[in-house]
Amino acid sequence: MAHGTWKRWHCLVATVASILLLSNSVLPFNLETRQLLDKQGPQGSYFGYSVAGHTQRAGRAAGNVTNWMLVGAPLGQNLQPGSTRSGALFRCPVSLDSNDCTQVITDGHRTDDIDDEDGTGDSDNLYEQRLEPPGKDEIKNNQWLGVTVETGGQENKIFVCAHRYIKINNPQSLAYPASGPGSTGLYLGQGVCYVLNEDFSFGFAVEVCRGRSIEREHQQYAFCQSGTSGAVLPDGTALIGTPGAMTWKGTLFNVAIEGGFLSRDKFQYFAPHDNLHSPVPNYSYLGMSVTGGRFFGEYMAYAGGAPRAAQGNGEVVIFSNRYKKNPFDHVVSLRGEQFGSGFGSTLASADINGDG
Ligand SMILES: *[C@@H]1O[C@H](CO)[C@@H](O)[C@H](O)[C@H]1NC(C)=O
Ligand SMILES: *[C@@H]1O[C@H](CO)[C@@H](O)[C@H](O)[C@H]1NC(C)=O
């Protein structure tokens, strides 16, 4: 197959997969199943690398609901000025038109830490906002924004990540000499995720490895690549895979993403991942995939894929956050049986006890 054909095929498969997912969920989709949606994005952008179904409840009282398909294009050209192919997020109406996707603003707000609490969030005004170029201490080219796109919870927040986002650390504070071309700082490949509100207005950034120890670089949190995988869970939290933490053992973080800035739990829960207590050895890449749910009862449980664990056979590691503490508890690890099979590379949660 020609390269271009393959790409389109890839996107089609992703679309079909998302339709299958959607028709299985509670979203009020009503599609003619014999017709396929084939949305197209910019060439070479990896449009369709990730997809998620999103429900926007415009006037909740009026029961006015708009359904969208969110599509990640990690090599796409972001709307942020001063960045090149840093990745883009698109929203596509659920229609048979193949050219009606538009880009959602993700990067370029004056400060990524702002929290839009006034609730005005009129998405039509988003495109009138002035976007700032990346800061001097960050590298967004090749950051892969859109590698992970998820939505869900009570508030239908949108969670989108760029696992290759780089922050350049202040060289003065470092014991190690400079690394990376053209800069005197240490390049921190920690990744970033953004929370957008249901109406696509910007919420806030989530950087679970920021501010953690980096003196021993990759042996700690300097190359976490957080957001390589992610999931929005029914309890209003996001589960974030960070396969590059602690000499690529990898780990999982869980943070609240719903509620207002003041009421939201700022605590970052994590799986055990130090040299003594990690359930996986170095170079396991735990967090390449994640999912979560109330697998065992009323409390939240998480699963993370570690494709290089178990001597390369791969492992799925299950945790429980029953006691809301750090680190949360390792419950069990499931092993793959074939070397190099990548067991644990993708995960999906099923409704095991049928309670929705
Ligand atoms: C429902 O939402 C659509 C799109 O957001 C809008 O055009 C329409 O006016 C809304 N209808 C009502 C009754 O609010
Ligand atoms: C794993 O990496 C750490 C450094 O982060 C090192 O101290 C430790 O010895 C390594 N473990 C093994 C079993 O090689």
Side-chain angles (χ1 to χ4, degrees):
M1 253 188 275
H3 194 56
T5 319
W6 187 85
K7 275 261 182 54
R8 277 199 53 189
W9 170 242
H10 194 143
C11 176
L12 198 65
V13 170
T15 307
V16 171
S18 79
I19 290 171
L20 290 175
L21 274 172
L22 291 170
S23 62
N24 232 340
S25 74
V26 294
L27 300 181
F29 271 78
N30 190 11
L31 287 172
E32 165 57 69
T33 50
R34 282 165 301 176
Q35 287 171 334
L36 287 176
L37 278 81
D38 185 8
K39 303 287 187 185
Q40 291 182 30
Q43 220 181 352
S45 65
Y46 282 11
F47 180 86
Y49 190 91
S50 59
V51 287
H54 178 63
T55 303
Q56 183 183 3
R57 299 162 294 191
R60 210 170 304 183
N64 195 356
V65 163
T66 313
N67 289 311
W68 299 94
M69 212 182 324
L70 301 177
V71 182
L75 297 186
Q77 178 62 42
N78 198 285
L79 291 168
Q80 182 180 30
S83 64
T84 306
R85 288 163 70 88
S86 57
L89 174 66
F90 290 88
R91 63 177 190 186
C92 309
V94 180
S95 69
L96 294 177
D97 192 337
S98 68
N99 278 311
D100 54 359
C101 302
T102 52
Q103 193 175 144
V104 177
I105 291 182
T106 53
D107 297 64
H109 293 269
R110 259 176 300 281
T111 161
D112 284 336
D113 297 321
I114 61 158
D115 205 287
D116 177 22
E117 286 308 318
D118 61 7
T120 53
D122 182 354
S123 55
D124 291 339
N125 288 335
L126 280 178
Y127 292 87
E128 292 162 20
Q129 292 174 6
R130 207 170 109 244
L131 296 177
E132 301 283 330
K136 285 189 166 45
D137 63 342
E138 51 183 6
I139 298 176
K140 294 210 176 180
N141 293 350
N142 270 313
Q143 69 172 351
W144 278 61
L145 188 281
V147 65
T148 297
V149 177
E150 289 280 325
T151 176
Q154 297 298 309
E155 299 182 6
N156 279 349
K157 299 276 191 195
I158 297 162
F159 194 68
V160 56
C161 301
H163 72 303
R164 297 175 50 147
Y165 168 78
I166 290 172
K167 195 66 140 256
I168 304 173
N169 193 57
N170 172 13
Q172 268 75 34
S173 66
L174 268 186
Y176 277 71
S179 59
S183 165
T184 50
L186 173 69
Y187 282 28
L188 302 179
Q190 294 181 325
V192 67
C193 296
Y194 298 121
V195 176
L196 310 181
N197 299 309
E198 183 181 299
D199 63 359
F200 303 98
S201 61
F202 189 79
F204 52 95
V206 177
E207 294 174 273
V208 288
C209 287
R210 187 172 177 183
R212 298 183 187 274
S213 306
I214 51 164
E215 285 82 12
R216 285 186 283 123
E217 301 194 355
H218 67 271
Q219 297 180 9
Q220 293 176 313
Y221 301 93
F223 304 106
C224 277
Q225 301 216 314
S226 60
T228 298
S229 65
V232 176
L233 304 184
D235 66 343
T237 64
L239 188 62
I240 303 167
T242 61
M246 308 300 273
T247 316
W248 293 280
K249 289 178 191 63
T251 192
L252 272 50
F253 284 86
N254 181 256
V255 298
I257 60 169
E258 291 190 352
F261 178 74
L262 293 176
S263 60
R264 191 170 57 239
D265 184 1
K266 309 293 186 309
F267 204 68
Q268 299 181 336
Y269 296 97
F270 49 74
H273 58 274
D274 62 30
N275 288 331
L276 229 49
H277 302 100
S278 170
V280 293
N282 295 341
Y283 307 106
S284 290
Y285 296 113
L286 173 60
M288 280 296 283
S289 55
V290 292
T291 188
R294 295 186 173 91
F295 300 150
F296 308 116
E298 289 305 300
Y299 53 93
M300 294 303 292
Y302 315 127
R308 296 264 298 267
Q311 290 85 45
N313 290 341
E315 217 166 68
V316 173
V317 190
I318 314 234
F319 302 93
S320 127
N321 200 0
R322 180 173 204 163
Y323 302 107
K324 291 273 176 187
K325 65 179 175 69
N326 264 343
F328 46 73
D329 294 315
H330 174 215
V331 177
V332 67
S333 296
L334 316 172
R335 299 213 150 172
E337 296 192 333
Q338 206 184 344
F339 177 79
S341 63
F343 184 75
S345 292
T346 60
L347 287 171
S349 64
D351 179 10
I352 292 171
N353 55 8
D355 65 354

